[in-house]
Amino acid sequence: VRSPSDSSAHKRRAPAPAPDRGVADRLARLRATLKTRGLKHSAVRDLVVEEFLLAGTHISIEDLLARVRRRASGVGYSTVYRTLKLLVESGEAVARDFGGAQSLFEPADTRHHDHAVCVRCGAIREFEESGIEALQEKVARRLGFQVTSHRLELYGVCAECAGKRRD
Amino acid sequence: VRSPSDSSAHKRRAPAPAPDRGVADRLARLRATLKTRGLKHSAVRDLVVEEFLLAGTHISIEDLLARVRRRASGVGYSTVYRTLKLLVESGEAVARDFGGAQSLFEPADTRHHDHAVCVRCGAIREFEESGIEALQEKVARRLGFQVTSHRLELYGVCAECAGKRRD
DNA sequence: TTTTCTGCAAACCATTTGCAGTTAG
DNA sequence: CTAACTGCAAATGGTTTGCAGAAAA
């Protein structure tokens, strides 16, 4: 029984929205975490983490491994799984399941957001709507329910796939 | 790649909130569907469907099988899986995944609703909040996204587990 | 009697783990 | 040197499927 949608994201100040911001920073932070736990730091691990951070968002183990193997062909699935698990445990990554077979991972220290998943092209767009959060709280009060995390996904057709705005 | 959270619920008039309402009715409807497809109707199938409908909501294959086996010990997993798949295909059931290992099934012809899942006791409470739906539409418009279905789950501690209102 | 069921075992697939050898500290 | 890392293969666990026999139509 896995904890559902753990949303204990780090609350770092995250001003710029650029996807590849702070890769070095995060790598350093992770390395510190490793030291704390008496874990080692290796070339392969670095490579996996770096590729993960460069990918930016919503990548599957399989895709990540493909990227990693472009730079080091011998790397195995288990190493990627193990490294991502490490990232999740240390708060640097979050695992998400959008109904597909495999789960997708994204860096953890972004602002809270929900997801819109295109059922045609698979694109995942993030969004934020404080009104929804407020209403969730209202519902929770009505039910006497203490919300610790939530999960909201819209499924449908994105603008590109709908043929709108074809620039 | 499985279709995510298919919300094509039948729009039958569903006035009474009683959980075991219309079991015979649904069984009859399903039987009609079976005939249409040239499928057969069998004692085991009936039993699985009946137990599913009696259970009311959010039951796992494993639990359903347990219930079924109380009345017919020889039934196998595959039959339950196959029967539930049939129910989903014919629009009588919906499969849901709340982050746990196995998926849960619920009857499909209920009103649209979202879920609040208690992380302590596992209880799943349904709720409805039209304001949230409206805001989802607003967000979708903003993104140029055509929503076909959505999924909203609150995770947290239910009133009972929080120790409130211990009657 | 023909086609669809059913139970069982094997197959699948994403993920995890045991093991023996490699490598970091 | 010692403990952690890595790749591989085997193990897991939920779900699916092939097959031979049982049961509907």
Side-chain angles (χ1 to χ4, degrees):
Chain A
V1 186
R2 181 198 329 171
S3 101
S5 147
D6 194 308
S7 72
S8 58
H10 281 190
K11 299 239 190 52
R12 294 180 62 80
R13 38 215 151 85
D20 54 7
R21 148 193 51 95
V23 171
D25 196 52
R26 298 188 205 182
L27 247 174
R29 194 164 14 137
L30 178 68
R31 210 164 293 177
T33 307
L34 292 181
K35 225 164 238 161
T36 302
R37 298 209 201 169
L39 300 179
K40 289 177 180 173
H41 140 260
S42 80
V44 177
R45 195 114 96 186
D46 266 17
L47 185 50
V48 174
V49 174
E50 198 182 322
E51 281 297 330
F52 169 65
L53 294 177
L54 286 173
T57 44
H58 309 120
I59 193 169
S60 68
I61 294 286
E62 195 176 358
D63 290 352
L64 181 52
L65 179 61
R67 278 162 170 271
V68 167
R69 280 188 171 163
R70 267 183 237 140
R71 294 171 61 185
S73 54
V75 178
Y77 272 93
S78 12
T79 301
V80 180
Y81 275 107
R82 284 190 273 233
T83 304
L84 265 289
K85 177 186 262 190
L86 198 60
L87 287 173
V88 170
E89 287 169 3
S90 63
E92 294 291 327
V94 173
R96 303 220 178 244
D97 154 36
F98 293 112
Q102 21 186 41
S103 31
L104 303 184
F105 295 81
E106 67 177 327
D109 57 353
T110 60
R111 236 193 313 190
H112 168 73
H113 59 261
D114 295 309
H115 298 89
V117 183
C118 179
V119 297
R120 293 235 186 108
C121 68
I124 298 174
R125 178 100 172 256
E126 305 178 350
F127 68 86
E128 208 185 341
E129 174 55 60
S130 55
I132 292 182
E133 318 275 319
L135 284 176
Q136 285 177 8
E137 272 309 318
K138 180 182 156 197
V139 169
R141 259 193 306 279
R142 193 204 306 159
L143 302 179
F145 193 87
Q146 296 174 5
V147 178
T148 56
S149 72
H150 73 263
R151 157 184 201 162
L152 169 60
E153 287 139 28
L154 305 183
Y155 293 92
V157 184
C158 72
E160 289 65 39
C161 286
K164 302 175 188 169
R165 307 186 184 195
R166 303 246 261 74
D167 312 299
Chain B
V1 185
R2 174 194 339 169
S3 103
S5 149
D6 193 309
S7 71
S8 58
H10 282 191
K11 299 241 188 52
R12 292 181 63 82
R13 40 218 150 83
D20 53 8
R21 150 191 52 94
V23 169
D25 196 51
R26 298 190 205 181
L27 247 174
R29 191 161 18 135
L30 179 69
R31 209 164 294 179
T33 306
L34 293 181
K35 226 164 239 164
T36 301
R37 297 210 201 169
L39 300 179
K40 290 177 179 174
H41 140 263
S42 80
V44 177
R45 195 115 94 186
D46 266 18
L47 185 51
V48 174
V49 174
E50 197 183 323
E51 281 298 328
F52 168 66
L53 294 177
L54 285 174
T57 45
H58 309 118
I59 193 168
S60 68
I61 294 285
E62 195 177 358
D63 289 352
L64 180 52
L65 179 61
R67 278 162 170 270
V68 168
R69 281 188 169 162
R70 266 182 237 138
R71 293 171 60 185
S73 54
V75 178
Y77 271 93
S78 12
T79 300
V80 179
Y81 275 108
R82 283 190 274 233
T83 304
L84 265 288
K85 176 185 263 190
L86 198 60
L87 287 173
V88 169
E89 287 169 4
S90 62
E92 293 292 325
V94 172
R96 305 223 177 241
D97 155 35
F98 293 112
Q102 22 186 41
S103 30
L104 304 185
F105 295 81
E106 67 177 327
D109 57 351
T110 59
R111 238 196 309 195
H112 168 73
H113 59 262
D114 295 308
H115 298 89
V117 183
C118 178
V119 298
R120 294 236 185 107
C121 68
I124 298 175
R125 179 101 171 254
E126 305 178 351
F127 67 86
E128 206 185 343
E129 174 55 60
S130 55
I132 292 182
E133 317 275 320
L135 284 176
Q136 285 177 7
E137 273 309 318
K138 180 182 157 196
V139 168
R141 262 193 303 279
R142 193 204 306 158
L143 301 179
F145 193 87
Q146 295 174 4
V147 178
T148 56
S149 71
H150 73 263
R151 159 183 197 162
L152 169 59
E153 287 140 28
L154 305 183
Y155 293 93
V157 184
C158 71
E160 288 66 39
C161 286
K164 301 174 187 168
R165 307 184 184 196
R166 303 248 261 74
D167 311 298

